[in-house]
Amino acid sequence: MADEMIERESHKGPVRLRRGHLETSTTDQRLLDSRGPGEWVHTDPWRVLRIQAEFVEGFGALAELGPAVSIFGSARIKPDDPTYEKTRLIAEKLCQRGYGIITGGGPGVMEAANRGASECGGVSVGLGIELPHEQGLNDWVDLGINFRYFFVRKTMFVKYAQGYVVMPGGFGTMDELFEALTLAQTQKVTSFPIVLFDTAYWGGLIDWLRDTMLQSSKINAPDLDMLKLTDDVDEAVEFFDAVAPG
């Protein structure tokens, strides 16, 4: 029964909703869906103030964060999965080097990363998002923020991180990965290491980037150099030594 109650919980910013108060759509969905009645013409300008407030809250909460690394990966990975322990170790070793850890604040890889940082005594940040069936922030998040809008949350991941560690994951993980690659390729961010952990998982993607995208001149060879592919925890962490905290 307790698990069922948790599954029926969602958030709208700082507001928690359960049972009869749950909504059938998200704030992002209502913002991006232009179909239906025309009242969006009148409500969208007011949404700008809410968006502005989310940026202000995020900037205010993270302004004193210091050097940090964002870690992404699947929410579906269980604690007995080897990837969970490797993620925890990566976060712990980054913490020992003076980095804070930023995740999406959920279960799986995110929980493992937050746990590694928190147990190390470092800064463990979780940036949650309003989703129809979310479970809230994991217990290892020490500094948590819940966002309504994906694009505000994404800004925080990039702005306050010195780089990414990308563990095996799904669509959300791919979204964060390719957004970071795009920002680095277009020089919107500089000196931004991106580590892909687990060669068996990511190897096919790298092969496709090299053999299809590069061969057809859709990207340049230096673009692939932005990615570091490894199976070694220490190697993944050492990749950030060049931009380590002073």
Side-chain angles (χ1 to χ4, degrees):
M1 180 64 179
D3 290 342
E4 180 182 351
M5 291 177 65
I6 292 174
E7 289 176 0
R8 297 182 60 208
E9 177 179 305
S10 68
H11 294 81
K12 291 179 62 177
V15 180
R16 183 176 65 184
L17 302 172
R18 286 178 174 172
R19 291 178 282 278
H21 294 281
L22 290 170
E23 296 183 333
T24 58
S25 63
T26 66
T27 305
D28 265 328
Q29 182 181 356
R30 293 189 292 275
L31 171 67
L32 298 174
D33 193 351
S34 60
R35 296 168 293 181
E39 61 262 20
W40 65 271
V41 175
H42 307 290
T43 58
D44 272 7
W46 291 103
R47 286 195 178 113
V48 173
L49 297 179
R50 178 175 288 175
I51 293 168
Q52 181 183 32
E54 286 211 344
F55 276 114
V56 171
E57 289 169 0
F59 292 156
L62 300 175
E64 305 299 325
L65 178 61
V69 174
S70 291
I71 299 181
F72 300 96
S74 176
R76 304 181 185 190
I77 289 175
K78 306 300 182 184
D80 59 354
D81 189 306
T83 299
Y84 185 100
E85 178 60 15
K86 290 176 182 178
T87 304
R88 190 193 66 78
L89 284 172
I90 288 171
E92 178 183 287
K93 290 176 179 291
L94 285 169
C95 168
Q96 292 169 352
R97 280 169 158 77
Y99 287 106
I101 299 298
I102 306 172
T103 81
V109 162
M110 294 171 283
E111 177 188 295
N114 287 130
R115 179 177 178 177
S118 184
E119 289 181 335
C120 172
V123 181
S124 175
V125 179
L127 306 181
I129 186 67
E130 174 194 88
L131 293 172
H133 304 291
E134 70 174 41
Q135 295 184 347
L137 299 176
N138 68 69
D139 292 337
W140 298 99
V141 171
D142 298 325
L143 172 59
I145 309 171
N146 277 309
F147 293 93
R148 292 182 174 93
Y149 297 101
F150 263 117
F151 57 87
V152 180
R153 179 181 183 239
K154 285 182 176 182
T155 300
M156 305 302 157
F157 279 128
V158 176
K159 178 174 174 59
Y160 293 101
Q162 272 62 56
Y164 284 1
V165 174
V166 187
M167 308 298 288
F171 285 164
T173 303
M174 296 283 282
D175 179 44
E176 299 293 351
L177 167 61
F178 277 97
E179 179 159 35
L181 285 172
T182 301
L183 291 172
Q185 182 196 52
T186 57
Q187 299 183 355
K188 293 295 185 180
V189 293
T190 56
S191 185
F192 201 81
I194 302 172
V195 174
L196 297 180
F197 193 91
D198 192 333
T199 57
Y201 190 86
W202 295 111
L205 173 63
I206 297 298
D207 290 342
W208 184 79
L209 293 175
R210 181 183 60 247
D211 299 337
T212 301
M213 292 188 86
L214 180 60
Q215 290 301 315
S216 61
S217 301
K218 302 301 188 297
I219 58 174
N220 297 320
D223 295 333
L224 292 177
D225 295 336
M226 295 187 292
L227 295 168
K228 175 66 174 180
L229 184 63
T230 184
D231 290 311
D232 186 85
V233 168
D234 289 325
E235 186 178 15
V237 173
E238 289 166 1
F239 196 51
F240 292 89
D241 286 347
V243 290

